[in-house]
Amino acid sequence: MKKKMTVLCAVIISIGSVIGCSKQDAGAPAAQKAGGQTAAANDLGEKLTITWMARSFQGGGWPDDHPMIKEINKKFNVDLKIQWVPAANYKEKLNVLAASNEFPDMFLVLNPEFNKWKKQGLFLDLQPLLKDYPNLAKIPADALNRLNPKGKVLGLPYYITETRDSLSVREDWLKKLGLSAPKTLDEFYEVAKAFATKDPDGNGKQDTTGFTFYIDTTQNTPKDVEFIMAGFGLANQWKDVNGKLVPYQTQVEEWKNFLTFMNKAYNEGVLDKDFAVNKIRSTVEKFEGNKVGFAYLNPNEWGTHVTNVTKLDPNAAPVAFEPPAGPTGLRGTSNIDMLDKNVINAKIDPKKQKRILMIMDYFLSPEGSDFIKHGIEGVHYKKVSNDKYEKLEAADKDRQDLLNNWVFRPFDPSIKFYKWEDPSQHQRIKDMFAQNAKYKWVNAAAGLDSDTMNRVGANLNIKFMEMVSKIIMGREPVSAIEKASQDWLSGGGNKIIEEMNKAYTE
């Protein structure tokens, strides 16, 4: 019966009709070879120009004539135009496009903008279409449903290993000072104090400190001290208490304990005194620069971290360890919420919409995921034997893995494992991920929306974090956090709590 239907569709399409069979044709990926085409050849007959806006990081994106883009153009009969927007300017760019209503065919939407715009009919609802794209249909339901309205899929998540980063310490400094990796926050403090006062780098100068952190200006929350916050019982912004969401701005006693610890560390030189001007990568840069002894490091970039830190000290040896336990035994680690969405413009030609879905489905297939990670065989790598591969020079020049790294990729923690690498290296990273996952510090309200939060939440959180910084630096007493909490509530926090809990129960 399947064969007869396929022949019938081919005949009808060949005479220019789209009655009945064209819809079935969109579901053809199930009939294709594993990892191969995600649509029947007839769906690729017309060459389409597709515009795609992606977020870029260090080094920027590809030119239009890049070998990877050429391969995609050839495989899917498209003229793919990727606009690479630097991450620092991405939010601004989104809002410029919104003001002019000139969105590209496909683009990444940051989660605050997705929440603001998801009721405006800008994004194509993919829910009725996913059954025709088997690899997209396998995206885990929890990640797929987050932020999307009930019964709809307006955006596909950009995969992130949520407990990716590992709390790490300079093992060579520990050995030099006769210390061990700390298992409690009290032990952490003593080790960090030794790093600040006992010349662990042996240069005869007191130019090192224990640890540092920064304030994330997008969420207005402390970063890289999550293990200390969790140890003192603070929530990752919101926690569930008997089915009700409670914001960490109201956890006054937990804040007092955390701030007492941090103020002591600041006064005794255990905490980097320049934390207030730190940026997103400052903690890593100071760790790699032999200035601090603790930092969160990305296991996927472990080799780079080691290379950087050993440039200044050939004996440097970073090692990951479990987050230390707080006074009551609580532990937690850094957690990244998977909230940003890849969306398809609802107003473009349906033929373009389907072609984009074919491409995205291919990226998640075995063949496609191999392509977006490793590139083109013979150009970016070569096969040496059945289980051995060699990376070629063009891989570094072309940076063949940018789609995998920055745009859209499989839902798998091994997204950065390359087949030319040592398998033992992959196992070490897997072990770090597994250790981190044991201490996941969940934000119970991740992805929920509040009108009041959208209007005044940012300013409220900025004021709250300004007080946190002042207390740490000794400019205000620890007790000042009580007023900061009350100000947050009276300035709109009570309404935010009400709206967030309504969204939580819907």
Side-chain angles (χ1 to χ4, degrees):
M1 186 65 185
K2 261 188 174 180
K3 277 188 173 181
K4 289 179 181 178
M5 286 298 297
T6 302
V7 172
L8 178 60
C9 285
V11 171
I12 293 174
I13 290 170
S14 69
I15 61 174
S17 172
V18 291
I19 300 171
C21 291
S22 60
K23 185 174 180 182
Q24 274 207 316
D25 209 30
Q32 302 301 315
K33 298 178 191 175
Q37 294 282 69
T38 55
N42 288 320
D43 279 351
L44 301 175
E46 180 183 352
K47 187 168 187 176
L48 302 174
T49 296
I50 291 173
T51 57
W52 194 321
M53 189 170 79
R55 180 174 51 186
S56 68
F57 297 88
Q58 188 175 6
W62 294 329
D64 288 344
D65 62 350
H66 192 278
M68 296 291 286
I69 293 180
K70 287 181 177 179
E71 281 292 306
I72 294 170
N73 287 345
K74 185 170 121 182
K75 186 173 187 68
F76 292 99
N77 196 20
V78 295
D79 182 11
L80 180 60
K81 304 289 188 184
I82 302 181
Q83 181 183 10
W84 304 90
V85 178
N89 308 115
Y90 200 85
K91 184 183 181 75
E92 179 185 358
K93 180 67 175 179
L94 279 175
N95 284 285
V96 168
L97 292 173
S100 62
N101 196 24
E102 293 182 355
F103 287 110
D105 301 329
M106 176 77 193
F107 56 107
L108 178 80
V109 183
L110 306 179
N111 70 85
E113 283 67 37
F114 183 82
N115 272 332
K116 281 192 293 183
W117 299 338
K118 64 186 177 185
K119 297 176 184 177
Q120 297 180 15
L122 299 174
F123 314 138
L124 178 67
D125 181 13
L126 307 178
Q127 181 62 50
L129 305 172
L130 287 182
K131 67 183 187 303
D132 297 330
Y133 302 92
N135 299 300
L136 296 177
K138 290 176 186 175
I139 293 174
D142 178 57
L144 189 66
N145 295 333
R146 204 174 296 168
L147 268 71
N148 278 305
K150 190 171 183 180
K152 295 185 176 183
V153 177
L154 301 181
L156 297 172
Y158 165 77
Y159 173 76
I160 292 173
T161 306
E162 293 180 300
T163 50
R164 183 195 67 187
D165 296 345
S166 290
L167 183 60
S168 306
V169 62
R170 284 287 295 271
E171 188 176 39
D172 54 309
W173 286 10
L174 290 174
K175 288 180 178 178
K176 181 171 182 181
L177 300 178
L179 301 169
S180 301
K183 295 183 179 177
T184 67
L185 284 180
D186 286 342
E187 290 179 9
F188 166 79
Y189 190 91
E190 292 308 313
V191 172
K193 186 173 183 178
F195 286 171
T197 60
K198 295 187 178 179
D199 191 23
D201 61 352
N203 68 355
K205 302 175 184 178
Q206 192 169 337
D207 58 355
T208 57
T209 191
F211 69 106
T212 191
F213 75 105
Y214 72 99
I215 304 295
D216 178 3
T217 56
T218 58
Q219 296 180 325
N220 296 298
T221 188
K223 291 292 184 181
D224 290 349
V225 283
E226 290 90 339
F227 65 101
I228 303 176
M229 296 174 70
F232 281 113
L234 281 165
N236 180 0
Q237 301 183 64
W238 294 82
K239 69 174 182 176
D240 182 315
V241 179
N242 299 321
K244 182 178 180 180
L245 288 176
V246 175
Y248 76 163
Q249 288 89 346
T250 63
Q251 293 184 274
V252 173
E253 292 308 310
E254 289 88 347
W255 274 111
K256 284 182 178 179
N257 294 332
F258 169 75
L259 291 169
T260 298
F261 181 95
M262 296 294 283
N263 174 247
K264 180 183 177 185
Y266 182 86
N267 289 336
E268 296 186 354
V270 177
L271 169 62
D272 170 29
K273 290 188 182 292
D274 293 329
F275 76 86
V277 296
N278 280 344
K279 305 299 181 186
I280 188 169
R281 282 190 58 82
S282 293
T283 54
V284 173
E285 289 168 357
K286 290 182 177 183
F287 184 90
E288 293 177 346
N290 290 291
K291 297 300 181 185
V292 300
F294 292 95
Y296 274 105
L297 302 181
N298 180 351
N300 286 323
E301 298 175 4
W302 198 260
T304 301
H305 293 312
V306 171
T307 297
N308 290 342
V309 75
T310 52
K311 284 178 183 176
L312 294 177
D313 184 351
N315 298 314
V319 64
F321 70 105
E322 294 183 321
T328 62
L330 292 174
R331 299 175 189 246
T333 194
S334 170
N335 193 77
I336 309 169
D337 294 322
M338 196 189 314
L339 300 175
D340 295 341
K341 300 289 186 183
N342 281 289
V343 302
I344 297 176
N345 193 328
K347 298 178 182 179
I348 63 173
D349 190 320
K351 288 184 290 186
K352 280 192 179 187
Q353 293 170 348
K354 290 182 179 180
R355 195 75 58 92
I356 291 168
L357 285 167
M358 290 178 202
I359 295 171
M360 296 184 78
D361 191 74
Y362 172 70
F363 287 172
L364 300 193
S365 72
E367 178 188 316
S369 60
D370 180 77
F371 168 71
I372 63 172
K373 183 193 293 188
H374 299 110
I376 304 164
E377 185 173 0
V379 175
H380 300 115
Y381 69 93
K382 70 177 182 180
K383 188 172 184 178
V384 178
S385 62
N386 284 338
D387 59 353
K388 189 174 181 181
Y389 297 83
E390 180 183 326
K391 180 183 177 183
L392 299 178
E393 186 179 344
D396 290 326
K397 177 176 68 73
D398 290 345
R399 295 179 304 148
Q400 86 294 336
D401 54 357
L402 292 193
L403 291 173
N404 180 71
N405 292 351
W406 297 348
V407 182
F408 192 63
R409 70 256 191 116
F411 287 68
D412 182 350
S414 67
I415 47 167
K416 294 277 285 182
F417 293 4
Y418 297 94
K419 55 189 177 184
W420 50 72
E421 293 174 336
D422 182 352
S424 65
Q425 173 184 328
H426 297 167
Q427 187 58 54
R428 184 186 70 237
I429 296 171
K430 286 180 182 178
D431 291 344
M432 283 191 269
F433 285 155
Q435 178 172 272
N436 298 343
K438 292 191 295 184
Y439 304 105
K440 189 174 183 179
W441 192 44
V442 176
N443 176 2
L448 295 183
D449 197 22
S450 156
D451 289 339
T452 305
M453 175 68 85
N454 292 336
R455 285 189 296 103
V456 302
N459 287 332
L460 285 177
N461 293 341
I462 287 171
K463 290 177 182 178
F464 186 86
M465 288 313 304
E466 284 175 349
M467 182 57 71
V468 166
S469 295
K470 288 177 181 178
I471 294 171
I472 292 173
M473 292 186 283
R475 297 177 186 174
E476 295 283 352
V478 170
S479 60
I481 199 66
E482 296 174 6
K483 185 175 185 305
S485 178
Q486 287 301 317
D487 289 346
W488 186 88
L489 288 167
S490 62
N494 282 317
K495 190 65 175 175
I496 290 172
I497 293 171
E498 177 187 327
E499 291 170 356
M500 292 291 277
N501 274 282
K502 182 180 178 183
Y504 191 53
T505 56
E506 287 178 349

